[in-house]
Amino acid sequence: MQQKLSEIVKQILVSPTEELILKRCGTAEDEEESTTESSRLDEIKLIYLPYFHIRNLGQISSCRFLTICILRNNFLSSFDQLSNCPLLIKLDLHGNQLSTVPDASFWKNMKSLKVLNLHDNGLHKYDEIFSISNCQSLVCLTLYDTPLCLKQHYRHQVVNSIWTLKALDNHVISDCEVIEDIRPLPHFKPLNPRLQINLCPKLDISNQNNMARVEMEVKSVKNLMKEINKILAHCSPVLIIQRWFRGHMVRTSNKRKLPRRANDFVRSKFVGGNNDFDRFIFGSPGDGLKQQAHDKKKELIKIRLPKLQAANPPPKTSPKNRVVENRPPNLRKELLQHQHHQSQLIVNRVQLIASLLF
């Protein structure tokens, strides 16, 4: 009975051959050239064989430039042979018969892997997580519907073992899962609805050619990364504080640097009447309406600038030496007032130019 069962299983289960891979995952050119050349597997970038009763990887390990590998809902028990495919970006092996994963050397070689789907398998040891932690660029991981996810503090162990991870089991990782002893607001708590995300989207690429399949899968990975970053930008207190602090520092630094920069820019370019500056602001003069608009803007500036200078006349004392530290107190005060007046006048000029341009 056992021999008969094993023979039946061998007849049902499939081991991918070169011919099968080229037929299912290659282009028409690959099939034609495979009759003359020894192998065209190294040009295949996507393997899409779900529900195909695969019992081992077969010749898939010969696809050295493979970037997307989708082998969900098969009968795989190991995938160590994929170590020959270091360019993998997405690896979908959910719904197989995996009870172990490869060792640390395998994951160190996967320097581009970002999405790993291992849910609905037989993984049950934390040692598997420790070996996966050697993957340097892993962002998304799914391990739900496995014996491992039923263990106590499972999510805490996984999150704090794989430092590059941003999303686990259809939820983005919150700051509370990384920073201990923190009491967040309800919308910042772990596993809240605002952190939900689909880490295993199913794309209908069965009717597409091979190049279109690769483009769609790579685009879906990029969109997944964008969505995760967007969720973190709104639901991560650490990122929110960093964003506001950077904005505050930029605004304060601009307040200090604007008058001096505006002074140098306007004096050297605008007040001096440099033609290069006119071309930079207004563009090269053209024909018709463009020429009229060009002349009108220049006339408006010539009319408004004298009014601004008349409204803000400089003080009578305008010493040549701008050094304030070694002057008497009264003269120092006048110098400071004069410098403030000059910077305010320059700011008004810059605002005038901005109003005419925008």
Side-chain angles (χ1 to χ4, degrees):
M1 284 295 293
Q2 292 182 354
Q3 292 181 354
K4 290 183 179 180
L5 286 174
S6 61
E7 290 177 359
I8 293 172
V9 168
K10 288 181 180 179
Q11 292 176 0
I12 295 174
L13 300 183
V14 178
S15 178
T17 60
E18 181 179 350
E19 182 181 358
L20 175 65
I21 295 171
L22 291 173
K23 182 179 179 180
R24 293 285 179 174
C25 304
T27 59
E29 297 177 356
D30 293 335
E31 295 178 9
E32 293 175 359
E33 295 179 4
S34 63
T35 58
T36 57
E37 297 185 9
S38 60
S39 177
R40 303 289 295 176
L41 294 179
D42 54 349
E43 295 183 2
I44 291 179
K45 295 184 178 180
L46 181 140
I47 295 292
Y48 184 77
L49 296 172
Y51 301 97
F52 214 76
H53 303 286
I54 296 175
R55 58 187 172 90
N56 56 39
L57 292 176
Q59 293 295 321
I60 294 177
S61 59
S62 301
C63 304
R64 295 180 300 166
F65 297 99
L66 188 65
T67 56
I68 306 292
C69 184
I70 300 175
L71 297 172
R72 59 173 179 263
N73 296 302
N74 285 291
F75 295 88
L76 293 173
S77 58
S78 65
F79 56 98
D80 297 43
Q81 295 175 345
L82 287 177
S83 59
N84 298 328
C85 311
L87 301 179
L88 276 172
I89 298 174
K90 178 180 180 180
L91 180 59
D92 188 355
L93 297 174
H94 80 265
N96 282 276
Q97 296 179 352
L98 300 173
S99 58
T100 58
V101 297
D103 56 2
S105 61
F106 174 90
W107 299 107
K108 287 180 181 178
N109 194 33
M110 296 293 170
K111 297 181 180 180
S112 303
L113 186 63
K114 295 184 180 297
V115 181
L116 178 61
N117 295 324
L118 295 177
H119 59 275
D120 196 12
N121 278 290
L123 303 175
H124 59 281
K125 293 182 179 179
Y126 280 125
D127 295 338
E128 321 300 337
I129 304 302
F130 299 148
S131 60
I132 294 174
S133 64
N134 291 279
C135 188
Q136 302 174 4
S137 59
L138 187 62
V139 178
C140 305
L141 175 65
T142 58
L143 290 171
Y144 59 89
D145 292 339
T146 61
L148 182 63
C149 72
L150 301 176
K151 292 190 176 183
Q152 191 176 8
H153 307 302
Y154 141 78
R155 192 173 175 89
H156 176 77
Q157 290 284 347
V158 175
V159 168
N160 290 277
S161 297
I162 307 174
W163 291 356
T164 59
L165 208 61
K166 291 184 179 180
L168 173 65
D169 293 346
N170 294 331
H171 280 86
V172 177
I173 297 171
S174 66
D175 292 345
C176 309
E177 298 178 85
V178 181
I179 305 172
E180 296 182 358
D181 300 330
I182 186 173
R183 296 179 181 179
L185 296 173
H187 54 277
F188 291 143
K189 286 185 177 180
L191 303 178
N192 72 76
R194 297 180 64 186
L195 297 174
Q196 285 184 353
I197 187 171
N198 185 12
L199 297 182
C200 188
K202 293 183 180 180
L203 302 177
D204 187 11
I205 61 174
S206 57
N207 298 326
Q208 304 290 334
N209 57 23
N210 195 34
M211 293 301 296
R213 290 178 181 180
V214 174
E215 291 177 0
M216 289 177 64
E217 287 290 345
V218 172
K219 187 177 179 181
S220 69
V221 172
K222 291 181 179 179
N223 291 337
L224 188 62
M225 299 297 111
K226 289 180 181 178
E227 190 175 355
I228 290 173
N229 292 332
K230 184 178 179 181
I231 293 174
L232 285 173
H234 293 87
C235 301
S236 172
V238 173
L239 294 181
I240 293 172
I241 293 171
Q242 289 177 355
R243 183 171 67 248
W244 280 99
F245 182 74
R246 285 196 298 268
H248 171 72
M249 294 299 294
V250 170
R251 287 190 294 271
T252 53
S253 62
N254 285 342
K255 285 181 181 178
R256 296 173 183 173
K257 296 178 181 179
L258 177 61
R260 185 178 298 174
R261 289 183 177 179
N263 191 357
D264 299 337
F265 184 76
V266 174
R267 281 187 178 179
S268 60
K269 299 288 185 180
F270 184 73
V271 179
N274 195 339
N275 294 327
D276 295 335
F277 178 73
D278 292 342
R279 285 194 292 271
F280 173 73
I281 294 294
F282 305 113
S284 58
D287 298 328
L289 296 175
K290 187 176 179 181
Q291 178 66 34
Q292 295 178 6
H294 179 80
D295 297 338
K296 186 176 181 181
K297 287 179 180 178
K298 294 188 72 173
E299 289 177 2
L300 286 173
I301 289 183
K302 289 179 181 179
I303 293 171
R304 293 187 185 180
L305 269 182
K307 293 182 179 180
L308 283 173
Q309 293 175 353
N312 299 309
K316 294 181 180 180
T317 57
S318 55
K320 296 181 180 180
N321 191 359
R322 299 282 179 175
V323 181
V324 180
E325 288 77 8
N326 299 325
R327 296 289 181 179
N330 295 334
L331 184 57
R332 190 183 304 149
K333 185 177 180 180
E334 291 180 2
L335 288 174
L336 290 173
Q337 290 177 355
H338 177 74
Q339 290 179 357
H340 177 72
H341 173 268
Q342 290 294 108
S343 62
Q344 189 64 34
L345 183 60
I346 293 165
V347 170
N348 292 337
R349 291 176 180 174
V350 173
Q351 290 176 353
L352 172 61
I353 295 171
S355 65
L356 291 174
L357 292 176
F358 306 106

Tab-separated table of all heavy atoms in Angstrom, residues 199-232:
chain	number	residue	atom	x	y	z
A	199	LEU	N	-0.398	42.543	3.209
A	199	LEU	CA	0.980	42.236	2.822
A	199	LEU	C	1.070	41.149	1.763
A	199	LEU	O	2.169	40.837	1.297
A	199	LEU	CB	1.789	41.802	4.044
A	199	LEU	CG	1.955	42.848	5.146
A	199	LEU	CD1	2.805	42.297	6.267
A	199	LEU	CD2	2.563	44.127	4.596
A	200	CYS	N	-0.049	40.571	1.391
A	200	CYS	CA	-0.036	39.507	0.382
A	200	CYS	C	-1.129	39.775	-0.651
A	200	CYS	O	-2.090	39.005	-0.760
A	200	CYS	CB	-0.220	38.146	1.050
A	200	CYS	SG	0.011	36.750	-0.075
A	201	PRO	N	-1.030	40.859	-1.405
A	201	PRO	CA	-2.063	41.142	-2.414
A	201	PRO	C	-1.967	40.167	-3.579
A	201	PRO	O	-0.877	39.808	-4.029
A	201	PRO	CB	-1.736	42.574	-2.858
A	201	PRO	CG	-0.280	42.713	-2.595
A	201	PRO	CD	0.035	41.862	-1.402
A	202	LYS	N	-3.116	39.744	-4.068
A	202	LYS	CA	-3.164	38.811	-5.186
A	202	LYS	C	-3.458	39.585	-6.466
A	202	LYS	O	-4.523	40.191	-6.600
A	202	LYS	CB	-4.231	37.742	-4.951
A	202	LYS	CG	-3.903	36.813	-3.791
A	202	LYS	CD	-4.954	35.730	-3.633
A	202	LYS	CE	-4.599	34.804	-2.465
A	202	LYS	NZ	-5.614	33.737	-2.297
A	203	LEU	N	-2.509	39.559	-7.378
A	203	LEU	CA	-2.650	40.257	-8.651
A	203	LEU	C	-3.074	39.269	-9.732
A	203	LEU	O	-2.595	38.127	-9.762
A	203	LEU	CB	-1.329	40.917	-9.047
A	203	LEU	CG	-0.741	41.917	-8.050
A	203	LEU	CD1	0.598	42.415	-8.553
A	203	LEU	CD2	-1.682	43.078	-7.822
A	204	ASP	N	-3.946	39.709	-10.604
A	204	ASP	CA	-4.390	38.879	-11.713
A	204	ASP	C	-3.427	39.065	-12.888
A	204	ASP	O	-3.615	39.916	-13.744
A	204	ASP	CB	-5.825	39.261	-12.115
A	204	ASP	CG	-6.400	38.301	-13.150
A	204	ASP	OD1	-5.772	37.242	-13.376
A	204	ASP	OD2	-7.457	38.622	-13.732
A	205	ILE	N	-2.373	38.245	-12.898
A	205	ILE	CA	-1.350	38.368	-13.946
A	205	ILE	C	-1.289	37.120	-14.811
A	205	ILE	O	-0.338	36.932	-15.572
A	205	ILE	CB	0.033	38.642	-13.322
A	205	ILE	CG1	0.438	37.492	-12.409
A	205	ILE	CG2	0.042	39.949	-12.575
A	205	ILE	CD1	1.841	37.617	-11.867
A	206	SER	N	-2.291	36.254	-14.710
A	206	SER	CA	-2.262	35.006	-15.470
A	206	SER	C	-2.367	35.244	-16.969
A	206	SER	O	-1.836	34.476	-17.764
A	206	SER	CB	-3.395	34.091	-15.000
A	206	SER	OG	-4.651	34.746	-15.134
A	207	ASN	N	-3.069	36.308	-17.375
A	207	ASN	CA	-3.266	36.572	-18.795
A	207	ASN	C	-2.241	37.539	-19.375
A	207	ASN	O	-2.373	37.962	-20.523
A	207	ASN	CB	-4.677	37.152	-19.031
A	207	ASN	CG	-5.761	36.170	-18.623
A	207	ASN	OD1	-5.592	34.962	-18.769
A	207	ASN	ND2	-6.866	36.687	-18.112
A	208	GLN	N	-1.223	37.914	-18.590
A	208	GLN	CA	-0.209	38.858	-19.042
A	208	GLN	C	1.032	38.114	-19.526
A	208	GLN	O	1.291	36.971	-19.129
A	208	GLN	CB	0.167	39.814	-17.902
A	208	GLN	CG	-1.006	40.571	-17.311
A	208	GLN	CD	-1.553	41.603	-18.263
A	208	GLN	OE1	-0.850	42.102	-19.130
A	208	GLN	NE2	-2.825	41.945	-18.095
A	209	ASN	N	1.809	38.786	-20.381
A	209	ASN	CA	3.081	38.185	-20.788
A	209	ASN	C	4.104	38.343	-19.666
A	209	ASN	O	3.850	38.992	-18.649
A	209	ASN	CB	3.591	38.802	-22.091
A	209	ASN	CG	3.757	40.307	-21.981
A	209	ASN	OD1	3.908	40.863	-20.893
A	209	ASN	ND2	3.729	40.984	-23.108
A	210	ASN	N	5.271	37.753	-19.848
A	210	ASN	CA	6.252	37.680	-18.765
A	210	ASN	C	6.755	39.051	-18.350
A	210	ASN	O	6.880	39.356	-17.155
A	210	ASN	CB	7.421	36.789	-19.190
A	210	ASN	CG	8.272	36.373	-18.003
A	210	ASN	OD1	7.755	36.175	-16.920
A	210	ASN	ND2	9.561	36.253	-18.221
A	211	MET	N	7.053	39.935	-19.308
A	211	MET	CA	7.564	41.263	-18.985
A	211	MET	C	6.529	42.085	-18.244
A	211	MET	O	6.845	42.801	-17.293
A	211	MET	CB	7.990	41.979	-20.269
A	211	MET	CG	9.203	41.360	-20.960
A	211	MET	SD	10.651	41.323	-19.895
A	211	MET	CE	10.928	43.062	-19.654
A	212	ALA	N	5.261	41.988	-18.650
A	212	ALA	CA	4.198	42.721	-17.957
A	212	ALA	C	4.008	42.198	-16.544
A	212	ALA	O	3.739	42.966	-15.613
A	212	ALA	CB	2.889	42.611	-18.750
A	213	ARG	N	4.153	40.890	-16.355
A	213	ARG	CA	4.046	40.311	-15.007
A	213	ARG	C	5.131	40.865	-14.083
A	213	ARG	O	4.864	41.233	-12.935
A	213	ARG	CB	4.162	38.794	-15.089
A	213	ARG	CG	2.975	38.087	-15.725
A	213	ARG	CD	3.241	36.597	-15.784
A	213	ARG	NE	2.146	35.865	-16.405
A	213	ARG	CZ	2.145	34.546	-16.575
A	213	ARG	NH1	3.190	33.835	-16.172
A	213	ARG	NH2	1.108	33.948	-17.138
A	214	VAL	N	6.354	40.916	-14.598
A	214	VAL	CA	7.470	41.424	-13.773
A	214	VAL	C	7.217	42.875	-13.391
A	214	VAL	O	7.396	43.266	-12.228
A	214	VAL	CB	8.799	41.280	-14.542
A	214	VAL	CG1	9.929	41.931	-13.761
A	214	VAL	CG2	9.110	39.822	-14.792
A	215	GLU	N	6.791	43.690	-14.341
A	215	GLU	CA	6.535	45.106	-14.064
A	215	GLU	C	5.421	45.280	-13.046
A	215	GLU	O	5.517	46.113	-12.136
A	215	GLU	CB	6.189	45.830	-15.362
A	215	GLU	CG	7.358	45.955	-16.322
A	215	GLU	CD	6.963	46.609	-17.629
A	215	GLU	OE1	5.769	46.955	-17.771
A	215	GLU	OE2	7.842	46.777	-18.505
A	216	MET	N	4.351	44.493	-13.156
A	216	MET	CA	3.240	44.601	-12.217
A	216	MET	C	3.656	44.186	-10.810
A	216	MET	O	3.294	44.834	-9.819
A	216	MET	CB	2.068	43.748	-12.698
A	216	MET	CG	1.361	44.285	-13.936
A	216	MET	SD	0.040	43.214	-14.526
A	216	MET	CE	-1.093	43.284	-13.133
A	217	GLU	N	4.436	43.120	-10.698
A	217	GLU	CA	4.856	42.650	-9.371
A	217	GLU	C	5.834	43.632	-8.714
A	217	GLU	O	5.722	43.922	-7.519
A	217	GLU	CB	5.511	41.273	-9.491
A	217	GLU	CG	4.542	40.143	-9.760
A	217	GLU	CD	3.652	39.833	-8.570
A	217	GLU	OE1	3.967	40.295	-7.452
A	217	GLU	OE2	2.645	39.144	-8.763
A	218	VAL	N	6.786	44.145	-9.486
A	218	VAL	CA	7.733	45.119	-8.927
A	218	VAL	C	6.999	46.390	-8.520
A	218	VAL	O	7.284	46.981	-7.468
A	218	VAL	CB	8.847	45.420	-9.955
A	218	VAL	CG1	9.719	46.562	-9.473
A	218	VAL	CG2	9.692	44.182	-10.200
A	219	LYS	N	6.034	46.808	-9.334
A	219	LYS	CA	5.251	47.990	-8.993
A	219	LYS	C	4.435	47.774	-7.736
A	219	LYS	O	4.293	48.678	-6.899
A	219	LYS	CB	4.337	48.351	-10.161
A	219	LYS	CG	3.589	49.658	-9.979
A	219	LYS	CD	2.751	49.993	-11.200
A	219	LYS	CE	1.994	51.303	-10.996
A	219	LYS	NZ	1.156	51.628	-12.191
A	220	SER	N	3.894	46.563	-7.558
A	220	SER	CA	3.116	46.278	-6.336
A	220	SER	C	4.002	46.315	-5.098
A	220	SER	O	3.572	46.780	-4.037
A	220	SER	CB	2.444	44.911	-6.462
A	220	SER	OG	3.396	43.866	-6.423
A	221	VAL	N	5.249	45.865	-5.218
A	221	VAL	CA	6.181	45.930	-4.077
A	221	VAL	C	6.498	47.383	-3.731
A	221	VAL	O	6.509	47.772	-2.553
A	221	VAL	CB	7.463	45.141	-4.392
A	221	VAL	CG1	8.511	45.359	-3.297
A	221	VAL	CG2	7.164	43.665	-4.534
A	222	LYS	N	6.728	48.211	-4.755
A	222	LYS	CA	7.000	49.628	-4.501
A	222	LYS	C	5.797	50.320	-3.872
A	222	LYS	O	5.949	51.131	-2.941
A	222	LYS	CB	7.378	50.319	-5.809
A	222	LYS	CG	8.725	49.895	-6.363
A	222	LYS	CD	9.051	50.639	-7.649
A	222	LYS	CE	10.407	50.225	-8.196
A	222	LYS	NZ	10.728	50.931	-9.456
A	223	ASN	N	4.600	50.019	-4.348
A	223	ASN	CA	3.394	50.611	-3.764
A	223	ASN	C	3.208	50.168	-2.319
A	223	ASN	O	2.742	50.944	-1.483
A	223	ASN	CB	2.173	50.230	-4.593
A	223	ASN	CG	2.163	50.893	-5.961
A	223	ASN	OD1	2.791	51.935	-6.158
A	223	ASN	ND2	1.477	50.300	-6.909
A	224	LEU	N	3.567	48.915	-2.032
A	224	LEU	CA	3.476	48.419	-0.658
A	224	LEU	C	4.428	49.179	0.259
A	224	LEU	O	4.061	49.558	1.387
A	224	LEU	CB	3.793	46.928	-0.641
A	224	LEU	CG	3.565	46.184	0.672
A	224	LEU	CD1	2.100	46.239	1.077
A	224	LEU	CD2	4.018	44.733	0.536
A	225	MET	N	5.647	49.456	-0.205
A	225	MET	CA	6.598	50.223	0.595
A	225	MET	C	6.088	51.653	0.834
A	225	MET	O	6.203	52.193	1.941
A	225	MET	CB	7.956	50.284	-0.110
A	225	MET	CG	8.619	48.941	-0.357
A	225	MET	SD	9.021	48.035	1.137
A	225	MET	CE	7.860	46.672	1.014
A	226	LYS	N	5.493	52.252	-0.204
A	226	LYS	CA	4.956	53.609	-0.063
A	226	LYS	C	3.812	53.644	0.940
A	226	LYS	O	3.710	54.571	1.752
A	226	LYS	CB	4.480	54.117	-1.419
A	226	LYS	CG	5.595	54.433	-2.398
A	226	LYS	CD	5.030	54.939	-3.713
A	226	LYS	CE	6.137	55.229	-4.716
A	226	LYS	NZ	5.592	55.694	-6.029
A	227	GLU	N	2.945	52.646	0.886
A	227	GLU	CA	1.805	52.617	1.804
A	227	GLU	C	2.254	52.440	3.241
A	227	GLU	O	1.713	53.064	4.166
A	227	GLU	CB	0.863	51.485	1.390
A	227	GLU	CG	-0.479	51.513	2.114
A	227	GLU	CD	-1.437	50.461	1.588
A	227	GLU	OE1	-1.089	49.779	0.589
A	227	GLU	OE2	-2.522	50.315	2.179
A	228	ILE	N	3.266	51.599	3.457
A	228	ILE	CA	3.796	51.403	4.819
A	228	ILE	C	4.392	52.699	5.350
A	228	ILE	O	4.147	53.100	6.501
A	228	ILE	CB	4.835	50.272	4.813
A	228	ILE	CG1	4.161	48.927	4.575
A	228	ILE	CG2	5.609	50.238	6.136
A	228	ILE	CD1	5.123	47.789	4.379
A	229	ASN	N	5.178	53.387	4.529
A	229	ASN	CA	5.783	54.655	4.957
A	229	ASN	C	4.720	55.722	5.222
A	229	ASN	O	4.869	56.545	6.138
A	229	ASN	CB	6.769	55.140	3.902
A	229	ASN	CG	7.991	54.254	3.797
A	229	ASN	OD1	8.400	53.615	4.773
A	229	ASN	ND2	8.583	54.183	2.621
A	230	LYS	N	3.657	55.701	4.447
A	230	LYS	CA	2.574	56.664	4.660
A	230	LYS	C	1.863	56.410	5.985
A	230	LYS	O	1.540	57.350	6.724
A	230	LYS	CB	1.586	56.573	3.498
A	230	LYS	CG	0.461	57.590	3.561
A	230	LYS	CD	-0.453	57.470	2.346
A	230	LYS	CE	-1.597	58.485	2.432
A	230	LYS	NZ	-2.504	58.352	1.252
A	231	ILE	N	1.617	55.136	6.290
A	231	ILE	CA	0.977	54.801	7.570
A	231	ILE	C	1.876	55.189	8.733
A	231	ILE	O	1.415	55.750	9.742
A	231	ILE	CB	0.631	53.303	7.606
A	231	ILE	CG1	-0.464	52.985	6.578
A	231	ILE	CG2	0.173	52.880	8.996
A	231	ILE	CD1	-0.767	51.514	6.431
A	232	LEU	N	3.166	54.919	8.618
A	232	LEU	CA	4.096	55.276	9.692
A	232	LEU	C	4.186	56.787	9.884
A	232	LEU	O	4.328	57.270	11.017
A	232	LEU	CB	5.485	54.705	9.382
A	232	LEU	CG	5.671	53.204	9.579
A	232	LEU	CD1	7.032	52.770	9.073
A	232	LEU	CD2	5.500	52.824	11.038
